[in-house]
């Protein structure tokens, strides 16, 4: 469930990160193709809906980017995350091939890893 901005202030960083991880997983790797290790999510399925599918998931990806910015992620990391979202939306918009791209690129999972690396570096520097 997407929370209101005011809820962001009452949650710990770990809780916010866990919510973001769940949302990214839902978008990129919720289900597995039977008999394979290949995972996919709502992003790949929604991409099959011409015009609106990739736009809708792009908005959710942008929301994750917004949440990362609110957590204090530096601009360079945000730029890399934004690049992943842009690639996902642009290539994801190609009929059928875009859904295949979404299955393998997983922009949201990539962005969560970038966020986790930032938070780990930040924690190490605070020690």
């Amino acid at each position: 469930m997407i929370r209101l901005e005011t809820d962001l202030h009452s949650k710990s960083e770990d809780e916010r990160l866990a919510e973001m991880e769940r949302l990214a997983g839902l978008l990129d790797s919720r289900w597995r193709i039977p008999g394979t290790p290949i995972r996919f999510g709502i992003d790949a399925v929604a991409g099959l809906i011409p015009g609106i599918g990739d736009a809708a998931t792009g908005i959710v990806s942008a929301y994750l980017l917004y949440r990362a910015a609110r957590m204090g992620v530096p601009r360079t990391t945000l730029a890399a995350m934004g690049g992943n979202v842009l690639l996902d939306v642009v290539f994801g918009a190609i009929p059928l091939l875009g859904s295949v791209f979404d299955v393998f690129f997983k922009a949201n999972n990539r962005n969560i890893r970038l966020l986790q690396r930032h938070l780990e570096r930040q924690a190490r520097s605070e020690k």
Side-chain angles (χ1 to χ4, degrees), residues 11 19 22 30-31 37 46 51-52 61 72 76-78 80 112 126:
K11 295 187 182 230
E19 284 179 354
R22 283 190 296 275
R30 171 65 178 92
W31 302 285
I52 62 168
S61 296
T76 54
T77 303
L78 289 173
I112 291 298
E126 290 175 358

Side-chain angles (χ1 to χ4, degrees), residues 27-28 33 38-50 53-54 57 88-106:
L27 286 167
D28 287 346
I33 297 173
I38 300 170
R39 301 194 68 84
F40 67 98
I42 290 174
D43 193 16
V45 175
L48 296 172
I49 303 169
D54 288 297
T57 57
D88 186 45
V89 170
V90 170
F91 286 106
I94 301 169
L96 293 177
L97 290 177
S99 288
V100 173
F101 176 80
D102 288 335
V103 167
F104 293 101
F105 186 67
K106 301 183 187 329

